[in-house]
Amino acid sequence: MNNSNLTLDEIKYKEALKRVKKIKGFYTHLLVYIVINASLLIVKYQNLDVGENFWRWQNLNTLFFWGIGLIAHGLSVFLPVLMLGKDWEQRKIKQLMEKEKQNKWE
């Protein structure tokens, strides 16, 4: 079934489903980040030598760099809604569809 045969409710449902999958993907990423990094930090803490400082770059670099990736993922999921509003995507789709209709008739 192509998109021209879909009802407005079906289009909205597909958009909502896509959005939910993006949010779920972010939360899965967050959970994996927490579990893996907590495990790494526990192992690193248990393997410290006597008198060694835990708060060294070598112990925190995975947490830091993966955290940057996680923040970027979160921004890609949530920032468009925060910056452009929840209806922006729908308005843009309608605008592009109208433009496409006009181009077909020329």
Side-chain angles (χ1 to χ4, degrees), residues 18-96:
K18 187 165 64 167
R19 176 107 179 99
V20 166
K21 286 182 179 184
K22 285 181 180 182
I23 293 169
K24 182 181 176 186
F26 171 74
Y27 286 133
T28 301
H29 187 181
L30 177 62
L31 180 63
V32 169
Y33 173 83
I34 291 169
V35 170
I36 297 297
N37 281 292
S39 300
L40 286 172
L41 291 175
I42 289 168
V43 168
K44 288 177 181 183
Y45 183 77
Q46 290 174 339
N47 291 325
L48 284 177
D49 292 329
V50 176
E52 188 178 3
N53 184 8
F54 176 76
W55 301 107
R56 299 177 322 157
W57 174 249
Q58 292 85 355
N59 293 335
L60 303 174
N61 61 2
T62 303
L63 188 78
F64 177 77
F65 288 114
W66 191 351
I68 290 172
L70 183 64
I71 289 169
H73 187 177
L75 290 174
S76 74
V77 171
F78 297 109
L79 192 61
V81 174
L82 294 174
M83 295 291 288
L84 303 172
K86 64 181 180 178
D87 295 329
W88 176 85
E89 194 170 288
Q90 187 65 34
R91 289 190 314 267
K92 194 65 175 174
I93 289 169
K94 286 180 183 178
Q95 177 189 14
L96 292 173

